[in-house]
Amino acid sequence: MSCIFCRIIAGEIPAKIIHKDDELIVIEDINPVAPLHLLLIPKKHIATVLDLSESDDKLVGRIYRLAADLARKYGVAENGFRIVANTNADAGQTVFHIHFHLLAGRAMGWPPG
Ligand code: AMP
Ligand code: ZN
């Protein structure tokens, strides 16, 4: 298995796991770019947002609601946070197993770099 997130999900590579359930895993990003930088990752291997199918609709909804719960839990909900799913080269996607960055803890610029 070459996908790094599939290997983390399988327990073959260590990660700081924040949350785990039957469909999702949440880990700390190994190279944080904000004081809070979590990755919400479906256990199912889906390469990019472009590969989502109708049967994944509920899964994506769950990811957003879990991100909101985590934002509240980490005390960043009121100040604000960003949920990002980089897709393909121009967005800088480096791991081709979809994941949603939850970024918070500092003011962020717009437009993004
Ligand atoms: P992206 O560039 O949007 O594909 O994001 C991939 C993210 O995965 C980057 O922020 C990396 O720092 C992070 N990452 C890569 N390998 C690991 C790992 N072994 N554990 C935790 N985060 C990782
Ligand atoms: Zn994978």
Side-chain angles (χ1 to χ4, degrees), residues 37-102:
H37 188 169
L38 303 179
L39 300 174
L40 289 82
I41 310 170
K43 286 185 173 175
K44 178 180 171 188
H45 181 93
I46 301 166
T48 79
V49 166
L50 295 164
D51 301 297
L52 286 165
S53 60
E54 194 177 345
S55 62
D56 301 316
D57 286 0
K58 200 172 166 197
L59 178 67
V60 176
R62 279 206 59 217
I63 288 168
Y64 271 78
R65 292 214 313 112
L66 178 58
D69 285 345
L70 290 166
R72 283 187 282 264
K73 180 177 167 186
Y74 283 90
V76 298
E78 194 177 333
N79 279 354
F81 56 92
R82 203 171 272 182
I83 299 168
V84 176
N86 293 319
T87 303
N88 280 342
D90 274 3
Q93 184 175 4
T94 57
V95 178
F96 286 80
H97 176 139
I98 57 167
H99 51 282
F100 295 73
H101 298 259
L102 175 60

Side-chain angles (χ1 to χ4, degrees), residues 8 13-19 25-29 38-39 74:
I8 287 173
I13 293 178
K16 182 85 192 295
I17 297 170
I18 299 297
H19 169 95
I25 189 168
V26 181
I27 63 172
E28 285 184 355
D29 198 292
L38 303 179
L39 300 174
Y74 283 90

Side-chain angles (χ1 to χ4, degrees), residues 14 24 42:
L24 301 172

